[in-house]
């Protein structure tokens, strides 16, 4: 999910016609991550799970049920601290289940720090305020709107001449427990990321991490938490008259979510053969089946939201450097793929050296941001002309495969994974889309993981989704063709963009040219 460009354009125009509000400096005290305690709890399990001399250990979380189970399990086992940083934490079953777990941990004496971007908090502020009313909990919002906080439109309308700032968002996704375990990747906290939406669900990708990378990520969190762009929630939201009733209100709001995400069966495993984390930690023994390797955590400077760019040290810069190190093969996966002139030149240089380049992104019909698909379409012919292989994920195609169908339920299927595999040895994973917004506007978090095993696992899953759930694009007679394998195994060729109705075609034709790529 990304902020809707058409809405942001309209909101920006409205802001120029209305009043302006400003922010006072934040008032929150500085605090810092607690180091893992190696003698007991999660700290002991993490320490004993790492072989002597190992740097970091990790395992992928490709399945929604196992990804939520990992989060809820770490919340349940935490004894000292929980630090969470998210672009979107929705007021739905997924958000309420996680927040309820945080409340329970706080009542056990665990220190909880929750940092969320302010773009979507208009609908969840009441729930966050109710959580904040509990001891041991602190909630901060990043890059907040100063006024009109009851709705997204009025928030932008109250930000006269400050649109450049509020258009920049904290897109990071990070979860840490007891300074010992972390989860990072593409998932926000909302139903559609955990196979709980009745309308549309995402295929996504996270990584569970332990070892040397966790203190790196803790430093990233602290940098954002203590930045001048992070504000205590209760300094922005009006104090309710019934503050004493907030804990009871939180109980009422979240009670039904307590059983919304039961743990997977302890004997089950995901497609890569991993057991649920709940089953692993129930043994209170060192974890099995972890990959070992080196991990470098990269994060944009929080000041990026104020327009202060540090391009040489940005997540994008580190990602491009990793790409340029490729010698044989690059597999790029992004829900929104808008390379721009710079990205096009990087890919052209790779192809000039004979590097095979594959790109997997959403088809227009499956994309939750159709205008991003329209911008990507402007680059397709140039990419294919230089030999880049393009695949577009299709909800209809995914439904022809039993495993993918089970992963998505009956809803529309989309990809939200942000993943790159380089030379079958390195994996770049995180929050960063391959588009202008991630490069220039939003802050991002990325992990460069050196692990042939994780690269092979990632490639295997991506190849399955690509082979069974996508269209392969080809240039023939100067025109783009979409090819797919039908359920009966017969190849089908489409001369026009498949699954797109007339209304969507008109919408893209008339509106997409009006939206600058920098907004996408």
């Amino acid at each position: 999910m990304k902020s809707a460009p058409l809405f942001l354009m309209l909101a920006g125009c409205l802001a120029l016609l209305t009043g302006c509000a400003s922010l006072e400096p934040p008032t929150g005290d500085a605090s810092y991550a607690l180091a893992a305690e190696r003698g007991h709890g999660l700290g002991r399990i993490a320490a004993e799970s790492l072989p002597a001399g190992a740097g970091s250990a990790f395992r992928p979380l490709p399945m929604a049920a196992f990804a939520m189970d990992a989060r809820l399990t770490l919340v349940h086992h935490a004894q000292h601290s929980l630090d969470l940083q998210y672009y979107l934490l929705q007021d739905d079953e997924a958000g309420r289940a996680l927040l309820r777990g945080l409340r329970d941990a706080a009542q056990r004496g665990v220190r909880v720090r929750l940092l969320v971007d302010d773009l979507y908090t208009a609908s969840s502020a009441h729930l966050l305020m109710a959580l904040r009313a509990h001891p041991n909990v602190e909630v901060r919002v990043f890059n907040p709107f100063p006024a009109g906080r009851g709705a997204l439109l009025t928030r932008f309308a109250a930000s006269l001449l400050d649109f450049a700032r509020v258009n920049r968002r904290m897109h990071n996704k990070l979860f840490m427990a007891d300074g010992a375990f972390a989860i990072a990747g593409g998932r926000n906290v909302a139903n559609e990321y955990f196979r709980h939406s009745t309308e549309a669900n995402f295929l996504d990708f996270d990584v569970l991490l332990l070892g040397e990378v966790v203190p790196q990520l803790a430093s990233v969190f602290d940098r954002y938490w203590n930045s001048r762009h992070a504000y205590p929630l209760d300094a922005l939201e009006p104090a309710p008259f019934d503050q004493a009733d907030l804990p009871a209100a939180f109980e009422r709001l979240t009670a039904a979510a307590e059983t919304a995400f039961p743990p997977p069966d302890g004997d089950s495993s995901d497609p890569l053969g991993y057991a649920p984390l709940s089953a692993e930690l129930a043994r209170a023994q060192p974890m099995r089946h972890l990959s070992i390797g080196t991990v470098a955590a990269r994060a944009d400077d929080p000041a990026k939201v104020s327009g202060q760019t540090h391009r040489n040290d940005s997540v994008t810069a580190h990602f491009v450097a990793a790409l340029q190190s490729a010698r044989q093969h690059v597999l790029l996966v992004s829900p929104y793929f808008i390379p721009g002139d710079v990205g096009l030149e990087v890919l052209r240089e790779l192809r000039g050296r004979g590097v095979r380049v594959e790109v997997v992104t959403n088809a227009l019909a499956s994309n939750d941001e159709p205008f991003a698909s329209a911008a990507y379409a402007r680059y397709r012919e140039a990419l294919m002309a230089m030999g880049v292989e393009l695949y577009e994920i299709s909800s209809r195609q995914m439904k022809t495969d039993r495993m993918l169908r089970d992963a998505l339920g009956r809803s529309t299927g989309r990809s939200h994974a942000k993943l790159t595999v380089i030379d079958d040895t390195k994996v770049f994973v995180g929050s960063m889309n391959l588009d202008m917004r991630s490069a220039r506007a939003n802050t991002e978090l990325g992990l460069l993981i050196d692990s042939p095993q994780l690269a092979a696992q990632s490639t295997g899953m991506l190849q399955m989704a690509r082979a069974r759930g996508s269209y392969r694009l080809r240039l023939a007679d100067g025109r783009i063709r979409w090819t797919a394998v039908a359920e009966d195994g017969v190849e089908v060729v489409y001369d026009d963009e498949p699954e797109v109705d007339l209304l969507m075609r008109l919408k893209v034709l008339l509106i997409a040219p009006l939206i600058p790529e920098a907004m996408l």
Side-chain angles (χ1 to χ4, degrees):
M1 177 182 290
K2 59 199 288 189
S3 42
L6 178 60
F7 174 81
L8 290 177
M9 259 184 54
L10 293 173
C13 293
L14 180 58
L16 294 176
L17 303 175
T18 59
C20 176
S22 60
L23 286 168
E24 297 294 329
T27 57
D29 294 332
S31 63
Y32 297 91
L34 303 179
E37 297 191 10
R38 300 170 60 90
H40 62 281
L42 294 177
R44 178 188 64 79
I45 293 174
E48 294 179 355
S49 299
L50 282 166
S56 296
F58 33 84
R59 68 164 57 167
L61 295 170
M63 301 300 291
F66 285 58
M68 178 58 87
D69 175 71
R71 288 165 169 83
L72 295 178
T73 297
L74 291 175
V75 168
H76 175 73
H77 285 270
Q79 296 177 348
H80 308 292
S81 65
L82 288 162
D83 294 332
L84 287 75
Q85 179 183 11
Y86 282 102
Y87 170 63
L88 169 66
L89 200 160
Q90 193 73 278
D91 180 12
D92 58 14
E93 288 89 350
R96 293 180 181 194
L98 184 58
L99 293 182
R100 188 174 178 86
L102 296 181
R103 188 278 311 269
D104 293 346
Q107 290 182 332
R108 299 194 307 268
V110 176
R111 187 192 71 176
V112 174
R113 296 189 297 173
L114 174 61
L115 177 63
V116 294
D117 185 78
D118 198 34
L119 184 62
Y120 292 109
T121 60
S123 60
S124 60
H126 66 296
L127 187 62
L128 296 174
M129 286 290 286
L131 173 68
R132 173 67 185 88
H134 293 84
N136 300 319
V137 176
E138 189 172 359
V139 179
R140 294 185 182 181
V141 294
F142 196 84
N143 198 25
F145 295 82
R149 297 186 55 80
L152 188 56
L153 184 61
T154 55
R155 288 180 170 203
F156 276 103
S159 301
L160 176 64
L161 303 182
D162 205 13
F163 181 72
R165 177 184 67 82
V166 297
N167 180 49
R168 299 173 181 270
R169 308 311 319 172
M170 181 193 77
H171 197 237
N172 310 37
K173 302 114 172 54
L174 177 61
F175 178 108
M176 290 182 294
D178 279 356
F181 284 81
I183 298 172
R187 286 186 178 94
N188 294 297
V189 181
N191 282 349
E192 56 266 32
Y193 299 92
F194 298 99
R195 197 185 176 275
H196 231 64
S197 171
T198 57
E199 297 179 1
N201 285 300
F202 288 117
L203 293 176
D204 216 326
F205 193 89
D206 289 320
V207 183
L208 175 73
L209 304 131
L210 52 154
E212 292 177 354
V213 68
V214 179
Q216 294 179 42
L217 293 169
S219 295
V220 169
F221 182 92
D222 285 345
R223 192 177 185 189
Y224 278 80
W225 181 260
N226 295 316
S227 87
R228 65 184 182 87
H229 304 285
Y231 285 69
L233 178 65
D234 46 14
L236 298 163
E237 296 293 338
F241 293 110
D242 55 350
Q243 291 187 67
D245 295 334
L246 284 177
F250 183 87
E251 176 66 25
R252 290 193 303 272
L253 288 168
T254 63
E258 185 168 28
T259 57
F261 293 90
D265 186 281
D267 295 326
S268 65
S269 60
D270 69 13
L272 296 174
Y274 292 115
L277 189 62
S278 54
E280 284 257 40
L281 295 192
R283 301 183 307 109
Q285 298 296 318
M287 292 182 62
R288 300 169 293 190
H289 310 305
L290 292 167
S291 298
I292 306 299
T294 58
V295 185
R298 308 296 188 190
D300 286 324
D301 192 314
K304 186 177 179 182
V305 296
S306 63
Q308 299 178 29
T309 57
H310 302 271
R311 294 183 179 178
N312 293 334
D313 196 36
S314 68
V315 175
T316 298
H318 287 289
F319 172 74
V320 169
L323 273 189
Q324 291 173 326
S325 73
R327 294 293 178 265
Q328 290 90 31
H329 182 212
V330 170
L331 175 56
L332 297 163
V333 183
S334 180
Y336 322 108
F337 181 70
I338 308 172
D341 293 338
V342 173
L344 209 61
E345 188 56 37
V346 171
L347 297 179
R348 183 176 288 109
E349 190 271 335
L350 290 176
R351 290 295 303 134
R353 292 194 280 110
V355 177
R356 182 186 178 194
V357 178
E358 299 177 272
V359 173
V360 181
T361 190
N362 282 311
L364 172 59
S366 299
N367 205 328
D368 63 320
E369 293 288 351
F371 301 120
S373 278
Y376 146 74
R378 301 165 194 160
Y379 295 92
R380 285 190 298 215
E381 289 192 23
L383 289 164
M384 286 188 285
M386 69 177 72
V388 173
E389 301 168 40
L390 296 183
Y391 298 85
E392 295 180 2
I393 294 293
S394 155
S395 180
R396 185 169 71 188
Q397 287 299 119
M398 284 193 286
K399 295 299 178 64
T400 66
D401 180 81
R402 182 187 60 80
M403 184 177 294
L404 292 172
R405 187 167 58 243
D406 290 346
L408 295 165
R410 297 182 178 180
S411 70
T412 298
R414 298 170 172 143
S415 173
H416 194 259
K418 306 134 189 327
L419 183 66
T420 297
V421 183
I422 301 170
D423 287 344
D424 299 323
T425 59
K426 296 179 181 179
V427 177
F428 196 98
V429 62
S431 66
M432 185 186 75
N433 298 309
L434 302 182
D435 61 13
M436 301 296 104
R437 175 165 284 277
S438 283
R440 299 177 182 176
N442 293 346
T443 70
E444 304 289 355
L445 172 67
L447 301 169
L448 182 60
I449 304 174
D450 193 341
S451 168
Q453 182 179 5
L454 182 63
Q457 292 170 333
S458 304
T459 300
M461 294 207 66
L462 292 170
Q463 286 177 340
M464 180 192 71
R466 185 188 63 191
R468 304 176 189 177
S470 74
Y471 297 105
R472 168 74 187 271
L473 275 64
R474 292 188 174 93
L475 274 178
D477 301 323
R479 293 189 58 188
I480 297 175
R481 302 290 196 276
W482 288 258
T483 63
V485 178
E487 208 159 356
D488 59 5
V490 176
E491 186 177 80
V492 181
V493 180
Y494 298 89
D495 293 332
D496 295 305
E497 205 134 11
E499 305 176 47
V500 181
D501 59 26
L502 179 60
L503 181 61
M504 177 58 73
R505 292 182 192 278
L506 288 173
K507 186 177 178 181
V508 168
L509 179 66
L510 297 175
I511 300 175
L514 304 177
I515 304 175
E517 283 190 6
M519 295 283 292
L520 296 168

